[in-house]
């Protein structure tokens, strides 16, 4: 079981920001920016390439927009997912990062 599956199962703790039946949002344990959230679908999906239910993506985008509004991220944010080894994915369970609170620069 990967770390996000364990968090979803309640086997290890996480700092939860939002939760519904399909999606969990937590604070990243090693934040790369003042705001660093992880959007994790509860469905067992390895990455974006394996995802068949694309409505999950639009739901995560809706939640990201809503949280950005409530957290007053007026200067912007980045919402990204890493896919596979070249994409820099470490945890093999689909998740999106929301980063904000400092200038993030361009993507290399
Ligand atoms: P990725 O490289 O896209 O797979 O991102 C995995 C992210 O999960 C990294 O930013 C880690 O810091 C984060 N992470 C790993 N373990 C935990 C945990 N137990 N709680 C919260 N975030 C975690």
């Amino acid at each position: 079981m990967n770390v996000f599956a364990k968090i979803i199962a309640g086997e290890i703790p996480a700092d939860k920001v939002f939760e519904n039946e399909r999606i969990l949002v937590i604070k990243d344990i090693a934040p790369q920016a003042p705001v660093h959230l992880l959007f994790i679908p509860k469905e067992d999906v390895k990455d974006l390439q394996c995802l068949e239910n694309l409505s999950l993506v639009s739901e995560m985008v809706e939640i990201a927009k809503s949280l950005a509004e409530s957290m007053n991220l007026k200067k912007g944010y980045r919402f990204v997912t890493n896919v596979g080894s070249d994409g820099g994915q470490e945890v093999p369970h689909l998740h999106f990062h929301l980063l904000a609170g400092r200038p993030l620069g361009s993507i290399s």
Side-chain angles (χ1 to χ4, degrees):
M1 228 190 215
N2 67 68
V3 66
F4 295 161
K6 286 181 182 169
I7 288 171
I8 291 163
E11 291 180 12
I12 57 174
D15 199 344
K16 294 182 186 179
V17 173
F18 173 91
E19 182 171 20
N20 68 16
E21 285 179 4
R22 294 165 299 282
I23 291 156
L24 182 62
V25 182
I26 64 171
K27 292 186 181 176
D28 196 291
I29 204 167
Q32 303 298 306
V35 176
H36 189 168
L37 305 179
L38 299 172
F39 291 64
I40 306 168
K42 293 182 178 178
E43 190 179 323
D44 182 19
V45 181
K46 189 178 78 169
D47 62 28
L48 194 62
Q49 284 305 105
C50 300
L51 182 66
E52 292 178 358
N53 177 9
L54 292 181
S55 67
L56 270 177
V57 176
S58 49
E59 188 172 1
M60 286 190 280
V61 170
E62 283 298 329
I63 296 164
K65 289 174 64 175
S66 173
L67 286 175
E69 183 85 21
S70 62
M71 295 173 82
N72 205 25
L73 302 180
K74 288 192 191 311
K75 293 179 89 175
Y77 60 92
R78 180 170 292 160
F79 190 63
V80 291
T81 187
N82 299 325
V83 180
S85 55
D86 275 7
Q89 183 177 8
E90 290 173 4
V91 179
H93 184 115
L94 176 64
H95 55 284
F96 282 75
H97 299 251
L98 188 154
L99 298 137
R102 67 168 172 83
L104 295 161
S106 58
I107 294 173
S108 58

